[in-house]
Amino acid sequence: MLPYIIRRLLLIVPTLLAIMAINFGIVQFAPGGPVEQLLAELEGTAVDATARLGGQSGSEVSSSAQARPSSANGQGGESTYRGAQGLDPAFVAEIEKQFGFDKPPLERFVLMLGNYITFDFGRSYFRDETVVNLVLEKMPVSISLGLWTTFLVYFLSIPLGIAKAVRDGSRFDVWTSMIVIIGNAVPSFLFAILLIVLFAGGQYFDVFPLRGLTSDDWESLSWPARIADYFWHLTLPLSAMLIGSFATLTLLTKNSFLEEINKQFVVTARAKGLTEQRVLYGHVFRNAMLIVIAGFPSAFIGILFTSTLLIEIIFSLDGLGLLGFESLINRDYPVMFATLYFFTLLGLIMGIVSDVMYMLIDPRIDFESRNS
């Protein structure tokens, strides 16, 4: 197993490099980059926009702002940036240097990768803070939502899927299938709005909070009260996120068990006089759970970094999903590429974890013999 894990870890390097290169190339052709956005803002509010250039002193900002009127009369040269017509070319070049766009794309990409090796993700273009601090600041929200949702989904869906498979065609199976179908059809954000209307002071009951992960006085509470307050804030977001993932995994578990229950080895085990529990959990469970485990990395990554976006917006939770979305809209490239790098690296590592879990659950699986 160890040589296989080492090879997979070594494959992370070229895979991560290829993904970063493709996304970096796509971004170069996307209109409305950070320089264009700042130039457009300068045309409207020069003082506020130039203040976003964190590396400039007050005198530099003033001199830059004073350079604009002289070129606005047509004395400036042509620029390739939309919204830069009439601006002093020296001022535009100063903004390019501030963002690092004075270098060719290939050089910028190599410098970026060199920094990423040491986990130096730079500073946000439009926030006066390092990318690492931004990610660490938003991490608790996304980790809380992702881990607890994944845990609850697997904790509830696997037993329910097994029960539905064992009672296939019964009244229990029919009624729970109706609940599962409704849950799969209702988007999580729509269910979140319904929960707000019902239980967060929207119209009926004001039971749960609507903003943040903890209360304002959380630091002054005792540890039992802190834990209660934490889960009190998580109740509605977790309930909204459970609805779709819960339905999908339940059906996947049921179908996996049904497929295994009808196989010949199960009939043979029953013919030998084994109890139903021994057949189900000693023979069927190991094979049926393989496909469920195979989907764990994608489910975890999807819940942690994708499904939480609308939930974070609706419940005013400032997490990684919202940070990545805002960085994409604002063309905040350091935040964009840093979150992409982090998400991709975590996804590749979770793929290796999935393979290891395969071998732990079913020792008959041997990736070494397969590769040889």
Side-chain angles (χ1 to χ4, degrees):
M1 182 189 299
L2 184 59
Y4 171 77
I5 294 176
I6 293 175
R7 285 199 299 269
R8 287 292 302 271
L9 289 173
L10 292 176
L11 282 174
I12 288 180
V13 178
T15 305
L16 190 60
L17 179 63
I19 293 174
M20 295 298 295
I22 292 173
N23 283 274
F24 186 87
I26 293 174
V27 165
Q28 304 310 306
F29 296 99
V35 176
E36 288 182 316
Q37 291 208 4
L38 186 57
L39 289 173
E41 192 169 330
L42 281 166
E43 288 295 316
T45 54
V47 175
D48 292 340
T50 50
R52 295 167 72 175
L53 297 174
Q56 289 185 341
S57 64
S59 59
E60 289 173 328
V61 171
S62 300
S63 62
S64 299
Q66 292 172 1
R68 294 178 60 246
S70 61
S71 56
N73 296 326
Q75 298 175 12
E78 294 295 327
S79 175
T80 58
Y81 292 107
R82 184 181 304 173
Q85 288 75 15
L87 290 176
D88 189 353
F91 177 59
V92 176
E94 184 180 352
I95 296 178
E96 287 181 327
K97 184 177 181 180
Q98 181 74 18
F99 286 125
F101 281 79
D102 56 329
K103 301 178 179 66
L106 181 59
E107 184 179 351
R108 284 190 280 118
F109 180 68
V110 172
L111 290 174
M112 182 185 72
L113 291 181
N115 292 330
Y116 281 14
I117 292 175
T118 59
F119 290 92
D120 178 12
F121 301 111
R123 298 184 66 87
S124 169
Y125 283 162
F126 303 128
R127 303 186 188 205
D128 189 20
E129 197 169 356
T130 62
V131 175
V132 172
N133 288 340
L134 281 174
V135 172
L136 293 178
E137 180 184 342
K138 315 299 181 184
M139 186 75 73
V141 173
S142 295
I143 291 294
S144 296
L145 291 175
L147 285 181
W148 283 115
T149 302
T150 305
F151 171 77
L152 290 175
V153 164
Y154 274 77
F155 180 77
L156 297 174
S157 298
I158 291 177
L160 180 59
I162 295 174
K164 287 174 62 62
V166 173
R167 300 171 177 82
D168 184 40
S170 66
R171 184 173 298 179
F172 171 82
D173 182 40
V174 173
W175 281 103
T176 53
S177 293
M178 291 180 59
I179 298 174
V180 167
I181 291 172
I182 294 174
N184 194 39
V186 177
S188 58
F189 73 90
L190 188 61
F191 189 65
I193 296 174
L194 176 63
L195 290 176
I196 290 175
V197 172
L198 293 177
F199 302 110
Q203 188 170 352
Y204 296 98
F205 305 101
D206 190 4
V207 179
F208 297 99
L210 188 56
R211 180 180 298 274
L213 203 59
T214 56
S215 299
D216 295 335
D217 60 343
W218 189 81
E219 294 290 342
S220 62
L221 299 176
S222 62
W223 276 110
R226 289 184 181 184
I227 295 174
D229 180 77
Y230 170 73
F231 284 106
W232 181 49
H233 281 75
L234 277 178
T235 300
L236 294 187
L238 288 181
S239 300
M241 292 181 65
L242 275 174
I243 190 72
S245 304
F246 165 79
T248 303
L249 188 61
T250 299
L251 293 178
L252 178 62
T253 304
K254 176 191 174 183
N255 294 333
S256 300
F257 269 79
L258 282 178
E259 183 180 356
E260 295 296 324
I261 287 174
N262 295 323
K263 288 185 177 179
Q264 186 62 41
F265 76 92
V266 177
V267 177
T268 303
R270 286 171 175 165
K272 290 180 178 180
L274 297 180
T275 63
E276 192 65 25
Q277 293 295 319
R278 179 71 181 274
V279 172
L280 185 63
Y281 294 103
H283 293 77
V284 176
F285 183 82
R286 177 183 295 177
N287 295 326
M289 287 303 296
L290 288 176
I291 190 172
V292 178
I293 293 173
F296 175 79
S298 59
F300 177 76
I301 297 298
I303 291 173
L304 186 58
F305 300 123
T306 305
S307 302
T308 60
L309 173 58
L310 290 176
I311 300 300
E312 288 178 4
I313 294 175
I314 292 173
F315 290 100
S316 301
L317 299 171
D318 196 7
L320 286 176
L322 187 58
L323 175 66
F325 176 75
E326 290 179 347
S327 65
L328 178 63
I329 296 299
N330 296 326
R331 300 298 193 273
D332 197 344
Y333 290 166
V335 180
M336 281 177 56
F337 288 121
T339 51
L340 173 66
Y341 180 86
F342 177 73
F343 296 167
T344 306
L345 182 61
L346 183 59
L348 293 172
I349 293 175
M350 290 301 296
I352 300 176
V353 172
S354 176
D355 289 346
V356 173
M357 292 176 67
Y358 262 124
M359 290 182 280
L360 292 177
I361 289 181
D362 192 348
R364 296 172 298 174
I365 296 177
D366 187 1
F367 291 105
E368 280 299 317
S369 61
R370 185 190 68 179
N371 290 334
S372 60

